[in-house]
């Protein structure tokens, strides 16, 4: 019987997959997400989100879906960033941005009324917090649950 070293045993027991990711650049992201131009998200800020994604989305776990995981993770965080006040924001804008948005469940204008409730679509993502706030985040969390099955990403 071959003995396993403690590091190998820990990796198997914890379901953590580590290792270096292939290169993923600003240009890689912009190529598959052309709407996220430099005017929308500056390179410096985008690089920050790419670095975050490298720390969370491991190719050793995601395999052939790794680029998709990177894309969704980065797009989610960029989308949240775009919803925050930028330079020159007023105190009111900063305060309003600090409130967590909720799903509109009823809106009426004259005789027209509409209500939305996304709880059914996101109920399986309990514990994924902000990942339910964007469609990119919901897609990322759904795939991460499939590929993760424990240990790799703890919200």
């Amino acid at each position: 019987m071959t003995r396993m070293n403690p590091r190998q045993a820990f990796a198997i027991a914890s379901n953590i997959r580590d290792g270096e990711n292939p290169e993923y650049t600003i240009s890689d992201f912009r190529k598959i997400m052309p709407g996220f131009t430099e005017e929308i998200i500056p390179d410096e800020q985008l690089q920050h989100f790419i670095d975050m994604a490298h720390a969370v989305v491991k190719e050793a776990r995601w395999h052939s879906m790794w680029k998709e995981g990177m894309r969704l993770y980065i797009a989610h965080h960029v989308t949240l960033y775009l919803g925050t006040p930028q330079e020159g924001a007023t105190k009111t804008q900063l305060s309003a941005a600090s409130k967590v948005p909720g799903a509109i469940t009823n809106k009426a204008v004259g005789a027209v009324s509409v209500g939305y409730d996304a709880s059914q679509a996101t109920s399986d993502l309990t514990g994924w917090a902000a990942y339910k706030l964007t469609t990119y985040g919901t897609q990322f969390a759904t795939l991460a649950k499939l590929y993760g099955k424990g240990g790799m990403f703890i919200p």
Side-chain angles (χ1 to χ4, degrees), residues 54-136:
H54 271 295
V56 173
V57 184
K58 293 298 184 179
E59 194 270 342
R61 173 166 305 282
W62 288 71
H63 303 287
S64 65
M65 289 296 290
W66 174 74
K67 285 184 180 180
E68 180 66 1
M70 293 288 284
R71 178 188 78 84
L72 292 170
Y73 182 93
I74 296 162
H76 166 73
H77 285 282
V78 168
T79 302
L80 290 179
Y81 169 80
L82 293 174
T84 60
Q86 302 303 313
E87 185 178 332
T90 66
K91 186 167 97 172
T92 303
Q93 290 169 322
L94 290 169
S95 177
S98 70
K99 294 172 178 52
V100 176
I104 295 172
T105 57
N106 199 351
K107 175 90 175 177
V109 176
V112 178
S113 177
V114 66
Y116 298 99
D117 180 3
S119 64
Q120 291 294 344
T122 60
S123 64
D124 286 347
L125 299 177
T126 301
W128 285 82
Y131 288 95
K132 294 187 277 186
L133 297 178
T134 72
T135 55
Y136 302 114

Side-chain angles (χ1 to χ4, degrees), residues 134-148:
T134 72
T135 55
Y136 302 114
T138 302
Q139 292 173 70
F140 174 79
T142 300
L143 289 176
K145 285 180 69 172
L146 291 172
Y147 285 96

